[in-house]
Amino acid sequence: MQIMSIHKSQKRDTSTLSELGMVAYRIFSDTGCINIQLLSGKQEERTIPFKDGEVVRFRDVDVRLDVID
């Protein structure tokens, strides 16, 4: 499982996950969701609830959100 740390105050950013490569995210405060996009290889994206501990799966790898205040 990969951990993706996200600061609540940063509405858009990119990150690198060791098993998946570059990812970008955007927080939608009005709906309480986050959109995560894989930027390496075949691009994929998911929109999930923006809450600590939420898990999403990309390419058979689970990614858990670690939301930081």
Side-chain angles (χ1 to χ4, degrees):
M1 178 175 292
Q2 297 277 281
I3 308 294
M4 186 172 172
S5 297
I6 298 173
H7 293 271
K8 282 184 179 180
S9 61
Q10 227 164 339
K11 301 297 180 192
R12 293 177 176 212
D13 202 2
T14 60
S15 181
T16 301
L17 299 174
S18 62
E19 293 183 44
L20 296 170
M22 285 289 289
V23 297
Y25 71 83
R26 181 173 178 195
I27 299 170
F28 297 96
S29 301
D30 56 336
T31 61
C33 291
I34 183 171
N35 178 268
I36 304 170
Q37 298 178 322
L38 295 184
L39 302 177
S40 301
K42 182 183 172 193
Q43 294 187 356
E44 297 178 46
E45 70 177 291
R46 307 272 190 287
T47 301
I48 62 171
F50 181 55
K51 59 183 179 183
D52 192 49
E54 191 72 22
V55 176
V56 62
R57 179 178 280 271
F58 287 103
R59 300 181 193 155
D60 296 325
V61 176
D62 289 330
V63 178
R64 185 176 62 82
L65 297 184
D66 178 27
V67 179
I68 302 168
D69 287 327

